[in-house]
Amino acid sequence: MSRIGNRKITIPSSVTVTVEDNKVTVKGQKGELSLDINKNVNVTIEDNTITVTRDNDEKETRAMHGTLNANITNMIKGVTEGFSKGLEIIGVGYRFNVRGTTLVISAGYSHPVELAIPTGLSVEQVSNTEITVKGIDKALVGKFAAEIRDVRSPEPYKGKGIRYKDEYVRRKEGKKAAK
């Protein structure tokens, strides 16, 4: 039995949630998000609470029960507070630069890497070596932050590369330690 799927979601007063034609729409002060519902999972709104139930106990239905509940919770949090992910770049000459709707990354390659910032997201430059990705869609924020990190993942010997603000990179000794 899914504990997350059975969790009741309370709707804040500043948010409106509607369910129609197998689609959940959440509107708040920061924007609007919508999500398709699996055909075997039901979403009901009573008073200021959302309840997610399932029709049967098949494996896919059980998986989607908890997932849908968590996604609706993230949508409500996104339109009220928003999500952010901080990244930092470490290395000599490595830096971030935000130019309009593109993020330019100098990460030790022979050319700067340019990434287009998706619509619905904003990238704030804290300093030359730190940025913050902000948006209302948790999945989109995480996906774009992962794309930025993949430009130059942190390496374990010197620690150079792009990492999340709260990420710990385990360091290794060099060849001289093996002798």
Side-chain angles (χ1 to χ4, degrees):
M1 189 142 176
S2 175
R3 291 188 179 141
I4 293 177
N6 292 332
R7 184 174 57 186
K8 295 198 183 321
I9 306 167
T10 57
I11 304 170
S13 60
S14 62
V15 176
T16 59
V17 180
T18 57
V19 179
E20 25 182 74
D21 299 331
N22 286 340
K23 187 174 257 190
V24 176
T25 306
V26 179
K27 294 180 187 175
Q29 64 238 23
K30 291 199 176 233
E32 178 180 340
L33 293 170
S34 62
L35 178 71
D36 291 330
I37 302 171
N38 190 309
K39 63 181 181 232
N40 295 324
V41 181
N42 304 315
V43 177
T44 56
I45 301 171
E46 296 173 358
D47 299 328
N48 274 345
T49 59
I50 300 172
T51 308
V52 180
T53 57
R54 61 179 184 245
D55 293 340
N56 54 40
D57 278 341
E58 292 178 12
K59 188 173 184 176
E60 181 186 350
T61 307
R62 288 194 317 251
M64 292 310 297
H65 184 212
T67 302
L68 185 64
N69 192 310
N71 286 343
I72 293 171
T73 304
N74 288 337
M75 288 166 58
I76 291 173
K77 185 178 178 190
V79 297
T80 54
E81 303 168 24
F83 293 99
S84 67
K85 196 85 166 165
L87 293 131
E88 61 184 351
I89 192 167
I90 296 172
V92 176
Y94 290 12
R95 60 185 35 108
F96 293 119
N97 191 3
V98 179
R99 289 188 202 148
T101 60
T102 59
L103 174 66
V104 181
I105 304 170
S106 299
Y109 296 117
S110 61
H111 60 285
V113 178
E114 294 184 5
L115 295 175
I117 300 170
T119 57
L121 292 184
S122 65
V123 177
E124 230 176 66
Q125 188 168 355
V126 180
S127 67
N128 281 342
T129 59
E130 293 182 22
I131 58 170
T132 305
V133 180
K134 293 183 178 182
I136 62 172
D137 190 357
K138 185 175 185 178
L140 191 60
V141 169
K143 182 181 176 199
F144 187 61
E147 287 176 15
I148 295 170
R149 186 181 180 276
D150 284 343
V151 169
R152 170 100 46 197
S153 299
E155 54 96 17
Y157 296 102
K158 292 184 179 177
K160 293 171 28 173
I162 302 171
R163 65 177 80 173
Y164 300 118
K165 287 291 277 184
D166 55 351
E167 182 179 7
Y168 171 74
V169 177
R170 191 167 152 229
R171 303 288 295 270
K172 293 183 180 179
E173 294 260 353
K175 287 183 182 178
K176 63 183 176 186
K179 291 183 180 179

